[in-house]
Amino acid sequence: MLKAVILIGGPQKGTRFRPLSFEVPKPLFPVAGVPMLQHHIEACVKVPNMKEILLIGFYQPNEELTRFLFNAQQEFKISIRYLQEYAALGTGGGIYHFRDQIVSGCPEAFFVLNADVCSAFPLTEMLSFQKEHGEPNSFVILGTTANRKQSMNYGCIVENEETNEVLHYVEKPSTFVSDIINCGIYLFNPEIFQHIGTVFQKNQQDMLLYPYDGEEPTNGWHRAEAIRLEQDIFTALAGQGKLFVYKTLSFWSQIKSAGSAIYASRLYLNQYHATHPERLALNKEAGPKINGNVYIHPTANIDPTAMLGPNVSVGTGVTIGAGVRVRESIILHGANLQDHCCVLNSIVGWDSTIGKWARVEGTPSDPNPNDPYAKIDSETLFRDGKLTPSITILGCNVTIPSEVIILNSIVLPHKDLNRSFKNQIIL
């Protein structure tokens, strides 16, 4: 049997996702109409013999997470549990801390997926790749090709081109190492815990030798248990005939910032043609004009003269008035877009209102369309003291008056604006 572990991080993480992560934990943010994590779960459930999915993170169990787990278990008829870390333990520390839960029931292998990636999740392909390559006890990393410049922002993998063995692994190198990058999706078997255990014991010995590493002596246990799969495990395993890379040609992107959620939404909506055609809106007689891939929640109320798409997802209970134009945007639940407003490259927060004839527009942060290997740049918020032009984000419960323009701005929750803004963070 198989299991899957999804690493969902915690509230200190997802800071680049503000102001959207104030309302909902980042892994539950809706991308292409469903919570980000649901894409991972749907992919795991399709793998034959998958018996359990474990989420590991350090969010306090909150109502949203509990409700999501309950609904997902009902829908997918599989055990889905949340295991809460006592602190951020890193990508390796979390699975090591809960290793008994992972190996209970004796799975032959288990997947580990990072929650903040968007992918076609070729999990069954990784399984067959593992059977064909190396011994049954080998570990597989999902890799993809990036361009030379961007590869340095990721974990870089040097492979043996004939056997696909990982010969060398460097996390975010300072010079070019390889254009094959780590996708944050792995296939392990229980033997990985011996390798993580070695690092754990070494950390414990280091602590006895250097007890006060400039930190409080109280969090010693945490320091031994905080282990990073990438830097601490893969770097050591590379070149030992244990670690292999399966290169995927299908889509992959990171979801670090709110802007990258719109790009991820586009990739998933495009995939729906093959996986969930029922989620894509169609042009109907009395419905709005649909242009390209659009997801509309059945509870949304949309005027037939509105025009949506491409790449739009509309959440629960949204109202869209006459003559509204929405493109490349995510409209979250309860938002109200009044007649003739225009929303481009933006995320409109929960219960926000955009007045008549107003224009809310951002600058897309898409990868270079002419480079097949380009990835999305995780842009810093500021460059040269100026706000980098990016997706416009309205936090929850923001009111935009009629006939104003909001351009390349981030509006924090519960704001009533009274004029136009551009290139600003409105606190």
Side-chain angles (χ1 to χ4, degrees):
M1 73 151 191
L2 298 167
K3 291 192 181 187
V5 176
I6 306 175
L7 306 174
I8 65 173
Q12 292 96 305
K13 302 282 180 254
T15 48
R16 286 180 272 184
F17 215 72
R18 290 178 185 159
L20 300 168
S21 50
F22 289 148
E23 309 311 314
V24 52
K26 178 179 154 183
L28 297 184
F29 182 80
V31 174
V34 300
M36 207 186 282
L37 269 181
Q38 188 167 323
H39 295 286
H40 296 64
I41 292 173
E42 285 175 0
C44 293
V45 173
K46 283 183 185 150
V47 178
N49 218 1
M50 177 68 68
K51 287 288 178 280
E52 182 172 48
I53 298 172
L54 301 170
L55 310 184
I56 297 181
F58 51 102
Y59 285 100
Q60 291 296 329
N62 53 29
E63 190 197 337
E64 277 132 331
L65 200 53
T66 316
R67 192 170 55 229
F68 171 75
L69 290 177
F70 178 76
N71 293 341
Q73 294 208 69
Q74 301 278 14
E75 184 178 346
F76 299 110
K77 311 279 185 286
I78 186 172
S79 156
I80 304 176
R81 292 187 297 138
Y82 173 48
L83 306 174
Q84 188 192 356
E85 301 167 330
Y86 62 92
L89 296 179
T91 45
I95 60 173
Y96 186 68
H97 185 75
F98 291 113
R99 59 193 179 281
D100 296 351
Q101 302 270 7
I102 295 172
V103 299
S104 77
C106 304
E108 304 95 77
F110 61 95
F111 289 98
V112 173
L113 305 95
N114 281 299
D116 61 356
V117 298
C118 121
S119 166
F121 298 112
L123 305 182
T124 33
E125 292 89 326
M126 286 172 78
L127 271 173
S128 25
F129 172 86
Q130 185 205 27
K131 289 190 177 75
E132 292 158 19
H133 284 70
E135 57 205 271
N137 284 348
S138 59
F139 311 124
V140 182
I141 302 180
L142 183 70
T144 187
T145 308
N147 63 33
R148 283 183 71 105
K149 182 164 162 267
Q150 287 178 320
S151 68
M152 287 149 55
N153 301 327
Y154 299 90
C156 293
I157 299 167
V158 179
E159 63 158 356
N160 173 331
E161 290 188 359
E162 281 158 23
T163 62
N164 300 108
E165 189 204 333
V166 176
L167 301 175
H168 187 53
Y169 182 91
V170 193
E171 185 66 27
K172 299 191 175 72
S174 49
T175 55
F176 176 74
V177 171
S178 159
D179 59 0
I180 301 169
I181 60 169
N182 171 2
C183 290
I185 298 168
Y186 317 117
L187 175 55
F188 293 146
N189 55 57
E191 203 189 288
I192 191 81
F193 294 123
Q194 292 167 9
H195 299 285
I196 304 179
T198 313
V199 174
F200 176 63
Q201 281 154 357
K202 182 184 164 299
N203 287 357
Q204 275 184 312
Q205 284 161 353
D206 286 356
M207 278 167 45
L208 295 171
L209 292 170
Y210 318 104
Y212 301 108
D213 189 18
E215 291 183 46
E216 292 293 313
T218 49
N219 62 358
W221 183 254
H222 174 210
R223 268 177 46 210
E225 266 209 311
I227 298 166
R228 303 161 303 181
L229 271 178
E230 300 77 17
Q231 291 96 319
D232 302 330
I233 309 296
F234 294 162
T235 308
L237 276 178
Q240 294 189 15
K242 282 260 173 242
L243 195 57
F244 291 81
V245 56
Y246 172 71
K247 299 199 294 286
T248 177
L249 297 169
S250 52
F251 70 90
W252 178 85
S253 182
Q254 264 183 327
I255 309 180
K256 287 290 188 212
S257 64
S260 51
I262 292 187
Y263 179 60
S265 193
R266 177 175 340 146
L267 297 175
Y268 278 139
L269 286 170
N270 203 25
Q271 191 197 21
Y272 283 170
H273 286 286
T275 56
H276 292 282
E278 76 286 353
R279 287 185 188 163
L280 292 170
L282 302 166
N283 277 303
K284 294 202 181 84
E285 194 81 351
K289 170 108 175 72
I290 304 294
N291 180 1
N293 299 335
V294 175
Y295 167 85
I296 300 174
H297 193 274
T299 57
N301 180 9
I302 302 178
D303 189 281
T305 59
M307 184 168 172
L308 313 180
N311 183 20
V312 169
S313 61
V314 176
T316 48
V318 168
T319 309
I320 296 184
V324 170
R325 177 75 178 102
V326 185
R327 191 177 79 208
E328 297 281 344
S329 297
I330 296 176
I331 314 295
L332 297 163
H333 75 72
N336 180 5
L337 276 52
Q338 295 179 358
D339 299 359
H340 307 291
C341 68
C342 176
V343 178
L344 314 171
N345 302 307
S346 302
I347 297 178
V348 177
W350 300 269
D351 299 317
S352 288
T353 301
I354 299 178
K356 296 181 177 181
W357 298 100
R359 184 180 182 94
V360 174
E361 184 175 358
T363 302
S365 49
D366 289 1
N368 174 359
N370 301 319
D371 177 354
Y373 300 125
K375 302 283 173 266
I376 202 155
D377 272 321
S378 45
E379 276 284 4
T380 47
L381 208 49
F382 294 95
R383 197 174 20 183
D384 311 328
K386 286 200 187 78
L387 187 62
T388 322
S390 69
I391 297 292
T392 287
I393 301 163
L394 309 184
C396 78
N397 206 354
V398 164
T399 306
I400 306 286
S402 299
E403 302 180 24
V404 301
I405 296 180
I406 307 293
L407 188 64
N408 297 343
S409 295
I410 296 172
V411 185
L412 268 69
H414 311 295
K415 289 268 164 278
D416 278 2
L417 303 188
N418 51 10
R419 61 180 181 86
S420 296
F421 287 93
K422 69 173 191 186
N423 306 326
Q424 284 187 49
I425 296 181
I426 301 156
L427 298 164

